[in-house]
Amino acid sequence: MNFHAVIVAGGSGSRAGPGGAKQWRDLAGKPVLRWSAEALLAAGATSLVVVIPEDARALADQALAGLPRWTTAPGGATRADSVQSGLHALKAGADEIVLVHDAARPFVAKHHLAALLDALAGADGAVPALPVADTLKRAETGDGPTVTVPRAGLWRAQTPQAFRLGALLDAYARWPADAEPTDDAAVMEAAGGRVALSAGDPMLMKLTYPEDFAMADRLAGAARTTRIGMGYDAHRWGPGASVWLCGVEIPHDHTLVGHSDADAGLHALTDALLGTLGEGDIGDHFPPTDPQWRGAPSDIFLKHAAQLIAERGGRVLNVDLTLICERPKIKPHRQAMRERLAELLGVELAQVSVKATTTEGMGYTGREEGLAAQAVAMVELPV
Ligand code: MG
């Protein structure tokens, strides 16, 4: 899918109750804003502009840490001002597609976007929408009296909404300054554009009231999937004075021999991470026939795998690694290895486990011909 995206995250969220503006609040382990940012980037957004209050840059940096291809733009006094600020910050051509999304709708999925872009193909704008199922009442006050309003032909518009950048900017330029549209499709309609509906989804719910967060917490699991990957590597011992294992150099009377720095721990873990994505193995990404990887520090292999996960909107939940050798003793270095791996992966120490075992003199590791490493990784990805 080929599109740019603007996420409007400028609200103060007064209706959502205590706990601060809703885009920064935690939803099942990460900020509300991060959910849709990850999903849009994972679906292939060429660039993402997040419109935030002037003083919220640090909050955005924290909420979107590690994600690629995003920048911020300053929010305005109204939602319409904020949207236009985001549109002007995009580096995109007039005919390119832009999705405008509200940060308060966390659960965007690829299939929503595919349907939306299909709908845009024959129109000036496209909006995910659900038919109104409840009977509608009009009342001046909360205790009535009521009048029943026909619901035939009524739809609930959601976001993201899709447009061509130039056409949406033109429509906003013609929108009266003293009127406040409640969505971008209204602006396109007012300019005479044809807006098409695509299939809406209850998962595109908007977090508005405090009770919405409880509902979203229950839905969060349906918006993410978990994947497991495994990796295995072995290298031969040769003459040397130190060995690299899990990104840590350990003094030893031998070293591991290989094309790179032969860090079997990092190689096994890199393969485990690539395995979560179905992205082949380390040799596919860094061919041993390529001279540029000769003697290379294996940090770059692991960082590459972690970057691929981040680009898919994923995050590492935990990794677990076992080194298999008679010598050197791993235990004195285990904490340093965990710290280094946590740093390379951008995760907490508690998410990284390093273990070691011998094979009691049996096999190639027991005869000290070589060292082996096994790793598993669990990763969470958008559906
Ligand atoms: Mg290797």
Side-chain angles (χ1 to χ4, degrees):
M1 286 184 270
N2 201 353
F3 63 88
H4 300 263
V6 172
I7 299 181
V8 186
S12 59
S14 50
R15 281 182 296 177
K22 56 197 167 187
Q23 63 270 34
W24 313 119
R25 282 165 63 175
D26 179 86
L27 172 58
K30 58 188 173 187
V32 167
L33 169 64
R34 190 176 180 103
W35 282 87
S36 57
E38 285 181 353
L40 289 162
L41 290 167
T46 308
S47 69
L48 171 65
V49 171
V50 183
V51 186
I52 56 172
E54 206 81 68
D55 57 355
R57 178 66 209 211
L59 284 168
D61 283 344
Q62 200 179 348
L64 303 177
L67 296 183
R69 306 193 299 281
W70 64 274
T71 53
T72 60
T78 64
R79 184 184 180 283
D81 290 340
S82 292
V83 170
Q84 290 176 85
S85 169
L87 295 176
H88 285 294
L90 279 176
K91 291 181 176 58
D95 289 333
E96 290 192 79
I97 294 170
V98 56
L99 306 189
V100 183
H101 184 60
D102 287 327
R105 298 184 192 268
F107 303 133
V108 184
K110 286 189 192 83
H111 66 92
H112 299 134
L113 305 181
L116 196 60
L117 297 190
D118 274 353
L120 182 66
D124 302 303
V127 175
L130 287 170
V132 173
D134 299 319
T135 298
L136 293 178
K137 303 289 185 190
R138 177 179 293 129
E140 294 302 320
T141 62
D143 57 358
T146 63
V147 173
T148 301
V149 179
R151 69 183 178 201
L154 292 183
W155 298 77
R156 295 160 49 202
Q158 301 177 312
T159 76
Q161 302 186 351
F163 308 91
R164 279 167 207 85
L165 176 59
L168 185 57
L169 283 170
D170 287 348
Y172 263 110
R174 287 195 259 165
W175 181 263
D178 58 344
E180 176 62 11
T182 54
D183 73 351
D184 306 289
V187 177
M188 182 57 72
E189 292 157 6
R194 193 178 92 77
V195 174
L197 301 182
S198 74
D201 188 342
M203 286 292 284
L204 289 172
M205 66 175 290
K206 186 176 187 179
L207 296 168
T208 306
Y209 302 106
E211 56 269 32
D212 296 338
F213 278 82
M215 168 80 87
D217 259 322
R218 291 197 292 274
L219 291 174
R224 309 288 290 178
T225 184
T226 49
R227 302 268 192 82
I228 295 171
M230 64 159 292
Y232 178 85
D233 194 34
H235 281 270
R236 184 181 291 277
W237 289 116
S242 69
V243 58
W244 283 94
L245 288 170
C246 298
V248 175
E249 190 174 23
I250 299 174
H252 190 44
D253 54 12
H254 284 73
T255 194
L256 290 173
V257 181
H259 188 71
S260 65
D261 65 6
D263 188 329
L266 288 184
H267 295 181
L269 188 51
T270 301
D271 269 357
L273 292 175
L274 292 173
T276 66
L277 300 176
E279 273 285 350
D281 62 31
I282 195 168
D284 295 322
H285 295 260
F286 301 95
T289 50
D290 187 335
Q292 69 170 307
W293 311 125
R294 191 184 304 280
S298 297
D299 299 16
I300 56 178
F301 307 149
L302 189 69
K303 282 184 187 162
H304 170 74
Q307 180 64 21
L308 289 180
I309 290 166
E311 284 173 10
R312 306 268 182 99
R315 62 174 178 150
V316 174
L317 296 179
N318 76 303
V319 298
D320 187 15
L321 192 144
T322 302
L323 297 172
I324 306 163
C325 60
E326 301 293 323
R327 295 185 312 127
K329 284 267 171 273
I330 301 301
K331 199 167 181 176
H333 308 285
R334 211 162 60 179
Q335 190 65 7
M337 291 176 177
R338 290 178 68 206
E339 286 169 6
R340 181 63 183 145
L341 294 177
E343 183 188 345
L344 289 170
L345 295 171
V347 299
E348 300 292 321
L349 194 61
Q351 292 168 278
V352 178
S353 161
V354 175
K355 311 198 294 303
T357 187
T358 73
T359 49
E360 301 198 328
M362 298 178 288
Y364 70 86
T365 54
R367 292 189 298 272
E368 297 195 53
E369 293 166 14
L371 173 149
Q374 294 179 338
V376 290
M378 186 173 277
V379 160
E380 185 193 64
L381 292 166
V383 293

